[in-house]
Amino acid sequence: MLIVIPSSVTGLTIIGNRSRPLCGGPVRYRVAMSRTRPASGDAVRRRPKDRKAQIARASAEAFSALGFHGVSMEAIASRVGISAAALYRHYASKYDLFRDAVLNLGQQLVDCTAFADGTEFDDPHDELRRLVSGLIDTAMANRESGGLYRWEGRYLRGDDQASLIAQMRTVNHRLQRPLRALRPDLTSRQRWTLSISVLSVIGSIVDHRAKLPAVQVRALLAELATALMATELPGSTDTVGEPAAPVSTASVESSKYEALLTESMRLFNNKGYRDTGMEDIAAAVGMPASGIYRYFAGKSDILAAAFRRAADRLSDELTAITTAIPDSEDALTAVIDAYVARSFAQPELDYVYYTERLNMSPTDQKILRNMQRSTVESIVDLVVAVRPEWTPAQARFAVHAAMSLVIDLGRLMRYTNSPQNRAVLQRILDVTLLGRYRLRAALPAK
């Protein structure tokens, strides 16, 4: 008897020759692969060879755009064009996917500079140039997702966090090697300041969406990196004095409203937005949690109000400077000094903005982006007046680089509000925006 099991069920055609009754004795089968073809018009779906790479790109871009908590496995699967079940065959959890996305970005920075470990360079300038070029190319290739390791890497756990730190340390050491040969007089802290400054400027392109032809972006970032590596930093004996006093807001900080804004930002910076409860904020201010709702509907409203307040004050400060100081270079120098003073007096503002802004409503996010854009354009106008060789588009990239430097160097300095730290940051921003550094007649006391 011929027994055939349809190939549509099993994918195989089984042809058997039963030599004995079904109730007894062995049955021998010949198994042959079916050569059936899909019906006319049907397509055979095959898994792309680069499926895992597609998942990696999609997840990195999603986590960078929406944050770790704002992304689901289903959303990433949809971006790739597969089911969530198929995605789980590659990754057991969202955290596994996130960890690989972050560490893959860090590994790309390690890989693009790895050539330096096995090469003896006759000219340290050439080694430094090639390192910077590789880092710029990698940052540009990951502009849609590079913000992930900069702002979301804090969600890595234990050994994973240590792995990211080790990756960044490796890249910094590679930048510092030719720097040590070129400038043997630098202290270890000064080398770290300069290498982190270079990485900050290059990485700043992931924090904004300003437009510029790729060849000009590469040239501008290389120009800024080269200038920073040559910067003469103030030594520990160059500046003395007491830390500057915080920007004065005494007339309003006694109010519960202002206290809620201040303490909320401090807690968001220390604990993270999602791990800070309304009870935590209330306890810091000395009021019951129910009392907060007299001022704000929720945490998101507190976040938005704090940023709007800071943006308004910065805008007022810029307007006052440009109105009072007619010379563009003097005005830009005053803007730099004011920005540095504000960053040390309120260190949590910029960092919390970049790490937690996605927790605001879309409307509030748009309002804050527009306010930031207005601030950037005010500074761009001054930069172009001082550096006419730059177009407004080039100046815009430099301004965003300066803003990134304030955050990254501030964190390196642990925001210790000392005259030396402020002088170092002023010097770095001078080189970035003015193209040279200006000696101050006296360190600002405010």
Side-chain angles (χ1 to χ4, degrees):
M1 177 183 293
L2 186 67
I3 303 173
V4 179
I5 302 177
S7 60
S8 61
V9 175
T10 65
L12 301 174
T13 299
I14 303 178
I15 305 173
N17 184 6
R18 185 169 63 83
S19 56
R20 296 190 182 185
L22 290 175
C23 58
V27 178
R28 296 184 297 276
Y29 297 97
R30 289 184 292 111
V31 181
M33 291 299 299
S34 168
R35 297 184 178 275
T36 57
R37 297 180 178 179
S40 177
D42 291 344
V44 178
R45 295 191 63 184
R46 295 183 176 88
R47 181 183 300 172
K49 293 181 179 179
D50 66 341
R51 173 55 54 78
K52 196 141 190 177
Q54 289 181 356
I55 294 172
R57 286 193 300 271
S59 61
E61 291 175 2
F63 284 127
S64 183
L66 302 173
F68 174 70
H69 292 291
V71 175
S72 66
M73 293 289 273
E74 290 76 14
I76 294 173
S78 177
R79 283 175 175 246
V80 182
I82 60 177
S83 67
L87 182 58
Y88 276 108
R89 286 198 289 269
H90 292 280
Y91 293 94
S93 69
K94 184 175 79 168
Y95 177 79
D96 290 342
L97 188 56
F98 171 75
R99 177 199 60 222
D100 282 8
V102 176
L103 295 182
N104 175 61
L105 288 167
Q107 190 61 42
Q108 288 186 54
L109 297 176
V110 172
D111 292 345
C112 78
T113 57
F115 69 88
D117 286 351
T119 306
E120 290 294 330
F121 288 86
D122 295 330
D123 182 4
H125 287 100
D126 182 49
E127 181 179 4
L128 193 56
R129 179 191 60 78
R130 287 185 57 187
L131 286 167
V132 168
S133 178
L135 290 167
I136 291 172
D137 287 345
T138 301
M140 292 184 67
N142 293 286
R143 192 174 182 188
E144 296 298 321
S145 57
L148 179 58
Y149 85 88
R150 279 176 62 78
W151 307 119
E152 295 297 303
R154 67 193 190 280
Y155 291 116
L156 290 175
R157 304 167 187 163
D159 290 344
D160 297 329
Q161 182 70 246
S163 294
L164 179 62
I165 292 171
Q167 289 172 336
M168 296 302 102
R169 184 182 297 115
T170 295
V171 176
N172 274 285
H173 283 163
R174 287 170 177 166
L175 283 170
Q176 290 171 21
R177 186 171 64 182
L179 186 60
R180 187 182 294 109
L182 292 168
R183 304 183 61 186
D185 57 313
L186 292 176
T187 65
S188 174
R189 183 171 182 81
Q190 288 174 329
R191 286 194 299 271
W192 274 97
T193 298
L194 295 181
S195 65
I196 286 177
S197 294
V198 168
L199 289 174
S200 179
V201 163
I202 293 173
S204 68
I205 65 171
V206 308
D207 297 332
H208 62 90
R209 293 294 170 260
K211 303 296 184 183
L212 194 64
V215 65
Q216 292 187 34
V217 175
R218 287 186 172 89
L220 179 66
L221 294 179
E223 175 187 349
L224 294 176
T226 300
L228 287 171
M229 283 296 199
T231 301
E232 295 290 340
L233 295 175
S236 58
T237 59
D238 293 343
T239 56
V240 292
E242 295 298 319
V247 175
S248 177
T249 55
S251 61
V252 293
E253 284 197 339
S254 59
S255 72
K256 289 292 185 182
Y257 179 86
E258 199 71 24
L260 285 169
L261 294 179
T262 301
E263 291 303 317
S264 295
M265 295 301 288
R266 183 183 62 81
L267 288 168
F268 295 157
N269 182 54
N270 293 337
K271 298 180 62 175
Y273 176 86
R274 288 181 174 268
D275 291 331
T276 299
M278 295 295 265
E279 294 78 7
D280 298 320
I281 299 171
V285 177
M287 64 187 301
S290 58
I292 298 177
Y293 296 99
R294 295 172 53 195
Y295 305 94
F296 302 101
K299 283 196 302 180
S300 177
D301 288 338
I302 297 175
L303 197 64
F307 289 141
R308 285 197 300 269
R309 175 67 59 84
D312 283 338
R313 288 176 174 170
L314 179 58
S315 177
D316 290 345
E317 196 167 28
L318 290 175
T319 300
I321 289 172
T322 54
T323 300
I325 305 176
D327 180 80
S328 297
E329 185 168 323
D330 290 342
L332 183 54
T333 302
V335 167
I336 289 171
D337 292 352
Y339 204 95
V340 169
R342 185 192 67 87
S343 73
F344 281 100
Q346 299 173 299
E348 67 280 352
L349 280 174
D350 288 332
Y351 181 71
V352 174
Y353 174 75
Y354 282 106
T355 56
E356 307 292 2
R357 67 189 186 277
L358 295 173
N359 291 300
M360 293 186 294
S361 70
T363 298
D364 284 330
Q365 290 183 47
K366 183 177 181 180
I367 291 171
L368 263 295
R369 281 197 303 271
N370 290 337
M371 295 176 77
Q372 184 193 51
R373 188 175 296 118
S374 176
T375 297
V376 168
E377 292 308 309
S378 297
I379 303 175
V380 165
D381 290 341
L382 293 174
V383 173
V384 172
V386 173
R387 305 189 69 169
E389 72 275 16
W390 279 353
T391 65
Q394 290 171 311
R396 198 168 293 117
F397 270 74
V399 171
H400 281 290
M403 291 178 166
S404 179
L405 284 162
V406 168
I407 299 172
D408 291 332
L409 291 182
R411 294 172 69 190
L412 174 68
M413 299 168 180
R414 301 183 184 275
Y415 287 104
T416 301
N417 196 357
S418 68
Q420 182 189 350
N421 283 343
R422 294 195 307 275
V424 168
L425 190 49
Q426 287 168 342
R427 183 73 59 88
I428 291 290
L429 296 192
D430 281 357
V431 170
T432 303
L433 298 179
L434 293 167
R436 61 184 183 85
Y437 43 87
R438 294 184 64 180
L439 294 177
R440 271 65 172 174
L443 286 173
K446 64 179 182 177

